[in-house]
Every structure is written in C-alpha cells, then in structure tokens.
C-alpha cells in the first residue's frame, strides 16, 4: 500500500466484551488454540462454522504478517452429554450403542471431520492434538493443582472454583444465568465446581480408563485444553477460540485451571474469541434430536461445500446465522456469479499457471491500492468478511483496471477468504446430487440435441426433450446469465 497507514487488527475479546488491538505475546508470532470436535459422532455444519471462523482468524493473522501457530484438539475422552458434570461420557455411550471399540469410533469420526475440513478448504493447523495422547500430562497437571485447588468426592477429584480469583468472569456468571445450567453433584462445595478426574463407578464398564491417585477413571473434559494449550503454546499465549456455548462453562473452567497451575490471575490466553451459532428452526443442529445436518447432506443435494463457506463469510462470526436452504442457495448463486466473473477475468489476463501473480507491481493502479486498503480495513475490524466480500465484488467489476493486477489482488484477498478463487469455475462448482436419477453426461447429451432441435425450429422435439429432463428432476435454465444451463431441482 502506498500512503495509507496499515490498520491495527482489532479483535473482540469475550473477557472484556470489547474490541481490542491484537498485541502478540511474542513479536511477529500469533499463537492460537481452538477447541476441537468431540469425535463420538459426525460434526454438523454448525460445528463446522466454529472451524471456519478459526480458519478465517488464522488466515487474517497471516495476512497481517504474523507467523501463525494454530493448535486444534481432538476430544476423544471425557466430554459428558452435558458440558457440566452430568450425563454419560459421549464416547463411551457411542461405543456401547454401536458395539464398536471406542478407538474405532474415534478414528472413524476424526477422519470424517478431516474430510470435511479439506472440503471446506480449512487450513490444517500446526497440530491436531489428541486428548488421549496426553493422559500422563493431564495426570501431572492434576497432581500439581490438587493440593491447593481440589477436593475428593466418591465420584472423583473436583476443582474448587472459590480457590481462584474471579471465577466465571468470562461467562459473567454473577450477572447472567450461566451457573444455573450446571447439574448438581452430591457433595460439591459450589455448584460451579467441576470434575478434574472422574472415578469409574463399580457398575460402569468403561473401555477407556487409566490409573490415578484418585482411583481408576478418566480425566474431566476441561482438563485437556488447559494441558494441551500450555504444552504447545505456552502458559500465556495469544488467542483461544471456540463456539459461544464454551463461554459459559468450558472456557471459565479452563481459565480456573490455568490460574491454579500458574499461581496467578492470568487466564492463559490474552484474547478469548467465540463464534455465534448456526441455528436452524427445524432442530437440525442438534445431535440428540435425531437427524442432523452434515456437510455431506449439502453435497448430496448438489451444493458445493464452498457455498457453505461463503454463506458463513457473508455473516459476521459474532452474529447468529440462520440456516435455510434458501440462504444456502443464495450463497451458491453468489459463488456461481464469482466463478463466472473469475473465468472472464482469467481469460482477459491470459492467465495460466505460469502467470506471476505472487506480488502486486510496485506502482499498482490506484483502484488496486484503494481496494487493498479497504479490504485490510474491513478484515482488521474484527474480521468483517461480509464487508471484505463487497470489495471483492467491486474489484471484479472494475473492468478498466489491468486484469493481471486484479488477479494478483484477488489472490491476496483469497488468502483470507479461502474460496479457491483462482481455480473457481462453473465446472468445479457443479456437483451432481448423489441421488440424482440422471448423469451429467446424459443431461449434456439431451441439451445438445435440444439445441439442434431448436436450431432446426423443431420446437415440438425441443419441448419433449425439456419434459424428459424435467421428469428426471433437471431444471433447464435457458438464457441463465451465469451460464449455468441446468440444475437438478430439489
Ligand atoms: P463439539 O464437537 O460439540 O465439542 O463442538 C465443536 C465446536 O462446535 C465447538 O467449538 C462448539 O462450541 C461449536 N458449536 C456447536 N454447535 C454449534 C452451532 N450450532 N453453531 C456454531 N458452532 C457450534
Ligand atoms: Zn476446549
């Protein structure tokens, strides 16, 4: 950029409920920890919103010039059906009901999650940190904090939340109703106290259990994130992310553990960031309610995963986002429009893999400079991706600006959007729904025949062909401005 000052990156810190400038612990470095999936089931598309948000944050940090270290954990032990100390262990329950080993369950759902990560173009973190690989470290951590901060009950070792300063500040438990959601456990000193180690009960037949000074059992769910974030990022690192539900119980409990371990009032991360929920009025974002929406459901309907990524980018991460098929298909239409514009732009720039778009020229067109500055301002404002997308639209429409320069700029934008814009085309976007009654080849063949019939003014034949396509669920889109030509209607 030329004369414009580089905007500071402002991020919303849930601890203060305010925007704060990002000031890394170590100059030039950004260390981020993201609470990952519990691999007892598939991740629904709401869960994937949390990882899209963390990815956008990581990409933005890189765009702003930081060297990113991102850790995402995989929870394969300890998470109960309630985030507090109630219910069954989600992993044990899934294994018992399917008759499979818990390790097989974990492997299957971890791999399914990674497949979705790839399909959504989410950047791989520096490490996927698996909870059960860290049991010894969890035991060491628990032993260290136990004397001053924990007490034992028949059911296990519990953290005394009155032993740390200002417990629950993140959740604002004093002012909101966070605590009321925590299930009572006999003998707990405070309702908010939580399990650090859960003893296996005699009637339980656990597949996963380890010896400990407090009996055979398994770690409490919150322990893993304190242990793994400290191990890989340090006692005080930059940013911790998760869904908004974690602001209530899981993250306040992590903070309490971190304070106990470091004998300080420090929370562990300087900035705690939370994405709001993807909601669905039909209840399709609840795994306990039966059928729920996964990425594969969208793909089966012929919707490219990147349309979902775009749908998330169109909303601010702190706003609730309502899922409807209409919203999703509007995002797909916008993506198709981008694909058509990108195809034209690449043609105009005579673009091939050898075209150098790795950097902007020293003196770019003023519109390029302005757009880059506007983009930086938008994403630096607590990741305002919705605004940043309008700047992309604008530059796509700047027909008089040099095409290679525009491509180079869009390549920079896409390091944040992750929409694969340089390769995006109508063909890559087209997915035939898995359950479609007709193949794309048959559709194309009928369309070619129909075009010939129309050229011969044989409108009766053309109508017959259209009716055949409609009967197979294909919508023929004559004169579609996006050049889409056909779609399978659902
Ligand atoms: P889990 O697998 O339940 O541990 O959740 C993985 C991530 O998804 C966590 O960060 C949750 O806070 C987040 N999450 C859960 N439900 C939603 C939702 N409907 N929308 C957005 N994020 C969610
Ligand atoms: Zn966590």
């Amino acid at each position: 950029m030329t004369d414009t000052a580089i905007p500071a990156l402002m991020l919303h810190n849930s601890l203060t409920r305010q925007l704060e400038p990002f000031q890394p612990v170590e100059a030039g470095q950004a260390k981020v920890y993201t609470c990952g999936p519990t691999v007892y089931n598939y991740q629904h598309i709401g869960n994937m919103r949390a990882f899209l948000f963390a990815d956008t944050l990581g990409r933005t940090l890189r765009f702003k010039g930081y060297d990113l270290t991102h850790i995402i954990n995989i929870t394969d032990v300890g998470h109960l059906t309630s985030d507090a100390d109630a219910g069954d262990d989600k992993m044990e329950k899934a294994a018992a009901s399917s008759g499979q080993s818990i390790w097989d369950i974990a492997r299957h759902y971890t791999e399914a999650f990674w497949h979705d990560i790839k399909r959504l173009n989410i950047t791989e973190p520096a490490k996927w940190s698996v909870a059960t690989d860290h049991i010894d470290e969890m035991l060491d951590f628990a032993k260290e904090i136990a004397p001053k901060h924990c007490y034992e009950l028949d059911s296990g070792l519990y953290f005394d939340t009155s032993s740390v300063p200002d417990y629950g500040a993140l959740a604002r438990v004093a002012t909101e109703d966070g605590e009321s959601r925590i299930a009572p456990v006999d003998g707990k000193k405070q309702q908010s106290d939580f399990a650090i180690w859960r003893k296996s009960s005699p009637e339980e037949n656990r597949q996963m259990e380890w010896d400990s000074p407090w009996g055979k059992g398994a770690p409490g769910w919150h322990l893993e994130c304190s242990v793994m974030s400290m191990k890989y990022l340090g006692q005080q690192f930059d940013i911790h992310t998760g869904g908004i539900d974690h602001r209530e119980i899981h993250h306040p409990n992590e903070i309490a553990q971190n304070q106990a371990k470091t004998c300080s009032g420090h929370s562990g991360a300087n900035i705690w960031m939370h994405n709001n929920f993807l909601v669905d009025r039909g209840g399709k974002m609840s795994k306990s309610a039966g059928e729920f929406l996964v990425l594969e459901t969208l793909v089966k309907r012929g919707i490219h995963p990147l349309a979902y990524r775009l749908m998330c980018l169109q909303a601010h991460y702190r706003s609730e986002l309502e899922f409807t098929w209409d919203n999703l298909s509007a995002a797909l239409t916008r993506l198709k429009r981008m694909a058509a514009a990108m195809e034209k732009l690449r043609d105009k720039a005579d673009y091939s893999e050898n075209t150098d778009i790795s950097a902007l020229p020293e003196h770019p067109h003023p519109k390029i400079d302005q757009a880059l500055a506007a983009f930086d301002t938008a994403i630096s404002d607590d990741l305002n991706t919705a605004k940043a997308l309008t700047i992309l639209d604008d530059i796509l429409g700047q027909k008089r600006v040099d095409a290679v320069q525009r491509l180079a700029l869009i390549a920079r934008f896409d390091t944040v959007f992750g929409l694969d814009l340089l390769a995006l085309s109508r063909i890559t976007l087209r997915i035939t729904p898995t359950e479609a009654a007709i193949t794309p080849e048959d559709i194309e063949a009928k369309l070619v025949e129909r075009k010939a019939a129309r050229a011969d003014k044989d409108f009766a034949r053309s109508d017959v062909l259209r009716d055949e396509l409609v009967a197979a669920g294909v919508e023929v889109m004559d004169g579609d401005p996006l050049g889409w030509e056909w779609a399978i209607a659902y």
Side-chain angles (χ1 to χ4, degrees), residues 446 449-451 453-454 457-471 476 478:
K446 279 192 196 294
E449 197 189 333
R450 184 165 167 266
K451 227 177 234 163
R454 280 154 70 101
K457 303 217 170 345
D458 185 353
F459 297 112
R461 178 69 191 144
S462 154
D463 286 350
V464 167
L465 286 162
R466 171 190 273 266
D467 290 347
E468 282 175 14
L469 285 164
V470 170
V476 180
D478 287 329

Side-chain angles (χ1 to χ4, degrees), residues 39 57 67 69 115 145-146 158 170 173 203 288 315 341 366 400 416 456:
V39 286
L57 172 66
D67 194 2
T69 309
H115 183 46
I145 64 170
Y158 284 82
L170 178 70
V173 283
E203 52 291 354
S288 53
R400 283 203 295 264
V416 174
D456 291 349

Side-chain angles (χ1 to χ4, degrees), residues 33-36 73 75 221-222 224-226 228 240-241 246 250-251 254 272:
Y33 183 91
T34 294
C35 285
N73 72 299
T75 297
W221 170 46
H222 315 293
E224 63 177 86
C225 289
S226 284
M228 296 190 285
H240 192 127
T241 81
H246 288 348
H250 182 49
H251 289 169
E254 272 189 52
W272 292 75

